[in-house]
Structures are given as structure tokens and as C-alpha cells.
Amino acid sequence: MSVGFDFGTATCSVANIVNNIVQPIAVNGDESFIASTLCAPNREAVSEYLYRHLNILPMSEVGEKLLQSSINTNKREGLDVIPEDLRFGKQATALYLEDPTDYYYVKSPKSFLGILGLDEIRYTIFEDIVCAMMANIKRNVESSLGKLVDETVIGRPINFHNRGGEQSNIQAENILCRAATRAGFKHIEFQFEPVAAGLEYEATLTTDRNVLVVDIGGGTSDCSLIRMGPTWVGKQDRAESLLGHSGSFVGGNDLDIHLASKSFMFEFGKDSDAKTGLPMPNMPFWECIAINDVIAQKTFYSRANYRELKAMQSSAKEPDKLARLIEVYDNTLGHSIVAEAERTKIALSESENFSARIQLFAEDINIPVSVEEMEKSIYRPVKQIQKLVRETLAQAQVQPDEIFITGGSARSPIVREAIKSVVGNVPIANGDYVGSVTAGLARWANLCFK
């Protein structure tokens, strides 16, 4: 049986086609979406869990060495890995927040897959993480359907990362393919996410149109200008219908991070002064919330950086604010700050003002944020999205008849107006903000695996 699988940066979802109708499939209890998160007692527990409880073996010599090392480490630490040790989705986040210092927590692994320069161990660790998440989803899908699922079309962005070009894309797709194979999928295809979103929109058209599809995902944004309509429905060869493509490693996470940086981090000492009157270094305030940057997170949570933070606090005019930053370090709270920025972004799509709330151990910080402030905060990533639209139009040399916009951050009036300001007076349509890509992948799977 075949399914469309959106292994997203923020959430994952799966759907199939029944009587030509898209059917979302429960992947987390009764829910058809699951957050792209994993929590385990330690990193080594992931590799041992795959082997011990799912009988999923490594596919490489490096993987075998990593597994043996993981088993030895867990044995030495007295950790007997049981199935309940690995949590996914909301359950993973809830467990992590109980004691952030005591768990291994991964959010949005898709953001890391295109980073070039990974050594073989890091590559294999990412593969294990993705495999564990995919295997969990596949088991839940098969439980929901009561059928074996071994064929899938997996969505992918135009570009997984801003640096590395096609080499980065090949690496990321290889990790996804190997992880999916180990998870039990026997036949795997990939489709561009904006093309998939366009396929779902195409099913609603009664005449042929040139449609600019803008997909603003959690970690990437993609644009495609596509000829679509009744003439193209059901065709596997769509080469002539794809007029222009552009994609970048900028998405909803970047909007959240920039909003947190500009609107929240002053409460932790950003833009404050030292006793000497000189400004405090800005980098630590960015690194602690750059949750989609492996190097930044590793740098912030290093022991060397802890000493730097303590030195900054002792030299600060406002040491209490720096104490908050040290609490972020101690309790690994960067994810929580960005999550509150996401909540603020969503609230401001429907209201002019919102009071954000960041919970620390001894206090709650309430921060009022307006739509105008958010617009200033997310200016840079929004400009990058506008650039993608311009690049796609320049490739296509065709003016779209309409715009189809999808992805969670597409709800934002700021983002919608920014796109419209580039394209001009073209109607904007939207379907399911978070389900269009999955639905299109299901349609493509139904076509591929007939």
C-alpha cells in the first residue's frame, strides 16, 4: 500500500487516497499530525532502541560501530533501554520540559540534514534519529489502517540548505532514503514540496492556470510556478508544466527565531552595556535561540561558553538579566523561548497585540508584542522569501494567474502582503495551510505506485 509522507521540519503527517479522495491518517493517537521531535535518556539510547526493540540494523560499518559503542555506553551507565524510553511529538517535548538537563532532545532534524562537512559518525547519528521517527510514524500508520505500508512518496524542499547546492540536497535525500529503507519502506520516491502542494490545489481547478505555489515550511521556503489544471491531472511526466523553481533554507523557524531575538532577548541582556559602558557581546543571545543551527547550539551549550557567560554577568550593568541567560544555559531553555515566539507569531496573525510569556524557574517574564514590532523583527527572513518569489518569476518569464500559498506561516498577513507586493495584483488562494503538501504527496504516490 502507498502513502504520501510529509517528513516536515515542524510536523510530520501521512495520507493516502481512497476512492480518489485524500484521507489523512492518524499518526499520533487520533491526531493526523505529530511534532518533529524526539526525546531519549541519551543519544546512545536511540541507536540501541532501533536494534533492541525494532530489530532495525545499521546499513554501514560505521553504523555497526556506533551501535556497539552505544550499547557499551548504556551498559556502563546502567541504562537498560526500554521501548518507553523514546518519546515522539508532544510527548517528547513534555518529557524534555520536566527536566531539560536530564534528556537528549531533538527538534526538527530535517534542518540539519543538508549541512555539509558532517563526519561519518554525525551522518549516522542523524540517520538513526530520522529512522526512529519514521519507524514510529510507520507503525502508527499501519496500526490505524490495519495494513502493511511499504510504498511512499516523501516530500523534499527545493534546497535543504542555503550552502552546498546540489551536493547538500543529495546528502539530505540520501539520509532520508536510508532512514526510510531501514524503517521498512521498500519503494521510495521523492517529490518537491511546492509541486506536491500544487497537485492538491490542481484537483480543485476546472480550467488550466499558471499558478505560483509558495510553500513556507518550518525550515525551508519554496516557490514553484506551475502550469496546472484538467490538462495535466493524472500525468506522471510534468516536466513541461514546471516553469520555475526556487527554494531556500528559510522558513517558519527563522521567523520565530528572529522574533525571539528582536522582541524577547533584551530581557536576557541583549543590547545592554557592561559596567565600562561598552556593549555586551551579541553572539550568545543569538546562539541560544538558533535552534536550527547545530554549530550555534553546540557553541552556546559548551562548558567554555558557560565560563564566558559568567564573566559577562560579572561585568554587566544589569547582571540580573544575564542571570536569566545563564538559566537558559543551565536548563536548555532555548527551544522554549522559540516556542513562545511561534505562539506569539500565530496570535498576531489574528490580533494587533499579544502578551508573550516566558517561564523561568523563579519568575514569569511577560513581554507585550505588536504586529508592527513583529513586522520589524522578521524583516530579514521575509525579504528572503520575497527574493525566492522574484527568482521563480525570473526563471519562468510568465506572469502567474494566481498564487497558492501554503505552510503554517502563510497565515501571517505580513507574509502574505510581502508576497503580493512582489507579484502584483494577483489573487491569492489557500487551502489547508498545514495539509496541502501531504495531500499532494498522497496523490503523487497513488499515481506512482498504481
Side-chain angles (χ1 to χ4, degrees):
M1 182 177 177
S2 65
V3 295
F5 190 164
D6 182 11
F7 187 80
T9 306
T11 61
C12 300
S13 54
V14 178
N16 66 340
I17 301 293
V18 179
N19 298 325
N20 205 36
I21 297 173
V22 175
Q23 297 286 347
I25 303 169
V27 294
N28 187 31
D30 296 331
E31 298 177 354
S32 56
F33 291 90
I34 183 168
S36 303
T37 53
L38 174 151
C39 188
N42 58 19
R43 196 276 304 158
E44 290 80 9
V46 179
S47 301
E48 185 170 354
Y49 165 86
L50 289 173
Y51 164 72
R52 193 169 301 285
H53 299 294
L54 301 185
N55 197 31
I56 294 176
L57 301 174
M59 291 179 65
S60 68
E61 185 177 338
V62 173
E64 291 172 0
K65 290 180 179 178
L66 179 67
L67 172 60
Q68 191 57 56
S69 173
S70 297
I71 292 171
N72 292 340
T73 298
N74 290 330
K75 185 176 181 180
R76 188 167 57 249
E77 294 181 357
L79 176 62
D80 183 19
V81 178
I82 60 174
E84 294 75 20
D85 278 339
L86 257 68
R87 307 283 182 90
F88 304 90
K90 291 187 296 186
Q91 291 82 5
T93 303
L95 182 62
Y96 160 73
L97 290 176
E98 286 181 10
D99 188 351
T101 62
D102 205 32
Y103 292 101
Y104 178 72
Y105 180 70
V106 180
K107 177 180 170 66
S108 307
K110 187 178 174 183
S111 298
F112 310 146
L113 305 185
I115 299 173
L116 294 181
L118 299 177
D119 58 37
E120 289 185 279
I121 290 292
R122 181 65 59 181
Y123 183 104
T124 307
I125 288 171
F126 287 167
E127 183 187 308
D128 278 355
I129 291 167
V130 174
C131 179
M133 295 171 70
M134 285 185 166
N136 173 67
I137 291 168
K138 184 175 184 291
R139 286 190 304 156
N140 289 342
V141 165
E142 291 173 341
S143 176
S144 296
L145 297 176
K147 296 179 181 178
L148 177 68
V149 176
D150 59 3
E151 300 170 332
T152 187
V153 173
I154 300 172
R156 54 150 290 184
I158 304 296
N159 291 309
F160 282 89
H161 204 273
N162 286 343
R163 295 184 293 274
E166 195 53 27
Q167 187 180 353
S168 171
N169 293 331
I170 291 169
Q171 173 182 286
E173 193 170 293
N174 282 344
I175 294 174
L176 288 172
C177 189
R178 286 166 63 99
T181 300
R182 291 175 65 201
F185 291 105
K186 298 192 184 323
H187 305 285
I188 302 161
E189 299 286 341
F190 288 90
Q191 180 57 274
F192 290 125
E193 288 159 359
V195 173
L199 291 172
E200 176 60 10
Y201 183 58
E202 183 176 62
T204 70
L205 297 178
T206 56
T207 59
D208 288 353
R209 313 280 284 170
N210 294 325
V211 180
L212 178 69
V213 181
V214 184
D215 175 24
I216 304 172
T220 57
S221 290
D222 297 298
C223 296
S224 294
L225 188 53
I226 309 173
R227 288 193 181 108
M228 59 175 67
T231 299
W232 300 96
V233 170
K235 290 188 176 181
Q236 277 190 274
D237 185 359
R238 297 293 300 251
E240 291 184 14
S241 73
L242 305 179
L243 305 177
H245 272 325
S246 189
S248 182
F249 189 62
V250 58
N253 283 349
D254 296 273
L255 301 180
D256 303 336
I257 291 166
H258 277 77
L259 180 57
S261 175
K262 298 289 187 181
S263 297
F264 294 175
M265 294 312 294
F266 69 91
E267 293 285 2
F268 297 83
K270 182 176 180 286
D271 298 328
S272 64
D273 292 335
K275 293 171 185 175
T276 60
L278 295 173
M280 303 295 289
N282 263 335
M283 191 56 69
F285 303 99
W286 176 260
E287 289 169 340
C288 78
I289 55 172
I291 60 171
N292 56 358
D293 186 329
V294 176
I295 296 172
Q297 291 283 280
K298 184 177 180 180
T299 300
F300 181 78
Y301 289 109
S302 68
R303 291 303 303 170
N305 191 51
Y306 180 77
R307 293 190 291 272
E308 289 293 325
L309 296 179
K310 295 296 286 185
M312 285 171 61
Q313 183 188 21
S314 66
S315 66
K317 276 186 179 178
E318 301 176 274
D320 289 349
K321 287 187 175 181
L322 270 297
R324 292 171 175 168
L325 187 63
I326 291 171
E327 183 173 342
V328 172
Y329 176 99
D330 286 337
N331 296 302
T332 325
L333 296 178
H335 284 288
S336 300
I337 294 173
V338 176
E340 184 60 17
E342 180 184 20
R343 195 167 77 97
T344 302
K345 177 189 68 179
I346 293 169
L348 290 175
S349 68
E350 300 178 353
S351 176
E352 289 293 316
N353 297 279
F354 182 74
S355 182
R357 181 187 177 202
I358 299 175
Q359 294 178 283
L360 300 179
F361 180 73
E363 62 175 327
D364 286 353
I365 306 173
N366 294 295
I367 307 170
V369 185
S370 67
V371 168
E372 184 179 357
E373 288 172 317
M374 185 175 85
E375 187 171 6
K376 292 177 181 176
S377 297
I378 65 175
Y379 173 80
R380 287 181 62 187
V382 168
K383 291 292 285 186
Q384 287 178 271
I385 294 169
Q386 288 179 311
K387 182 183 177 184
L388 295 180
V389 175
R390 290 191 182 95
E391 288 174 352
T392 304
L393 295 178
Q395 281 182 34
Q397 292 295 300
V398 172
Q399 183 69 7
D401 298 310
E402 55 196 271
I403 303 166
F404 177 69
I405 186 168
T406 188
S409 293
R411 294 186 181 92
S412 169
I414 296 171
V415 173
R416 297 170 75 89
E417 284 302 312
I419 293 168
K420 196 163 186 179
S421 71
V422 174
V423 183
N425 191 27
V426 176
I428 294 182
N430 54 263
D432 183 344
Y433 283 113
V434 294
S436 294
V437 170
T438 315
L441 293 172
R443 291 186 182 279
W444 195 251
N446 192 52
L447 195 60
C448 285
F449 299 118
K450 278 185 176 178

